[in-house]
Amino acid sequence: MSRSNTVRTRESRRRLLKAGRALFGEHGFVATSTPMIAEAAGVSRGALYHHFEDKAALFAAVVKAEYEHLEKEIDRNILETTDPLEVLIEGGDNFISAASDPITQRILFLEGPTVLTSEGMLTLDSQTTTKSLLEGIEAAQAAGRLPDDIPSRALASMMSGAYDRAVADGMGACEEERLSIRQAIRCVWFGLSKLA
């Protein structure tokens, strides 16, 4: 494949993912058709099926891209923080803000478990955002900021559930709610840090 064909192919896929994200986020999986996606992306249906076996495969790629985006957002603006506990807390705040985007929220928390099953979503989550959380917990434990006698995987599972529930309950939708959930989660982390 020539370089120009490779670039066109990559661009076509990018446009399909962008169109799929917007349409799945606005209309949901069932109400979004492949002709709608192809038209919004400015490609033929044949091009859509060249990249993705079917609508479900495109949706799975959109979900994966959402998780990868969240993973990047978790690390946004925390490089200057040296305290591993603060890095963990700030990363969680970033997750709640980014995951509270209405499109992200619908794709990951409403449509995803139905289309990809809860197990499929758990696998993707474990490879991205929960992995980041686990790494943050382990770094805080290694630095003596969190107790090392609490299994890190158990703590990651529990706190991942707390973050996801905060997003599902709409706690990141407005500034007042974001501040209240931020305060609650900080209390949990600082309470645990006193046990270290």
Side-chain angles (χ1 to χ4, degrees):
M1 185 181 292
S2 72
R3 180 165 163 66
S4 61
N5 282 343
T6 302
V7 170
R8 276 197 306 272
T9 298
R10 192 178 306 130
E11 177 60 19
S12 228
R13 181 179 169 82
R14 187 195 65 75
R15 288 198 322 253
L16 285 163
L17 287 169
K18 183 178 178 182
R21 179 186 189 273
L23 292 167
F24 292 137
E26 182 179 347
H27 304 290
F29 178 80
V30 172
T32 299
S33 67
T34 54
M36 288 168 65
I37 297 166
E39 182 179 338
V43 302
S44 68
R45 283 184 69 200
L48 188 154
Y49 290 116
H50 170 75
H51 291 285
F52 303 100
E53 181 181 345
D54 54 20
K55 182 171 75 166
L58 172 60
F59 182 79
V62 167
V63 167
K64 184 176 183 207
E66 285 298 301
Y67 272 120
E68 289 168 350
H69 170 72
L70 286 178
E71 192 174 29
K72 288 177 187 164
E73 286 297 303
I74 288 169
D75 294 332
R76 187 178 46 80
N77 298 330
I78 61 174
L79 298 176
E80 297 161 7
T81 307
T82 57
D83 177 7
L85 186 60
E86 281 296 330
V87 168
L88 192 57
I89 291 168
E90 291 302 319
D93 290 347
N94 289 347
F95 170 83
I96 290 172
S97 293
S100 294
D101 172 78
I103 291 175
T104 300
Q105 196 173 19
R106 181 168 189 173
I107 289 170
L108 295 185
F109 295 93
L110 297 176
E111 301 290 329
T114 303
V115 179
L116 299 181
T117 73
S118 295
E119 185 177 305
M121 294 297 289
L122 184 59
T123 298
L124 285 169
D125 179 59
S126 295
Q127 295 168 351
T128 53
T129 55
T130 300
K131 179 179 152 222
S132 292
L133 178 59
L134 178 62
E135 290 168 355
I137 289 168
E138 289 171 344
Q141 286 177 324
R145 296 290 282 135
L146 288 176
D148 60 6
D149 60 338
I150 299 175
S152 57
R153 285 177 42 83
L155 189 52
S157 177
M158 180 186 81
M159 292 306 293
S160 176
Y163 286 117
D164 287 353
R165 182 60 190 252
V167 172
D169 286 349
M171 298 299 288
C174 72
E175 188 62 27
E176 183 181 339
E177 295 292 335
R178 250 191 318 274
L179 288 174
S180 67
I181 196 62
R182 180 182 171 134
Q183 180 183 10
I185 288 178
R186 277 182 173 271
C187 287
V188 171
W189 286 122
F190 284 123
L192 286 169
S193 74
K194 290 179 181 174
L195 301 174

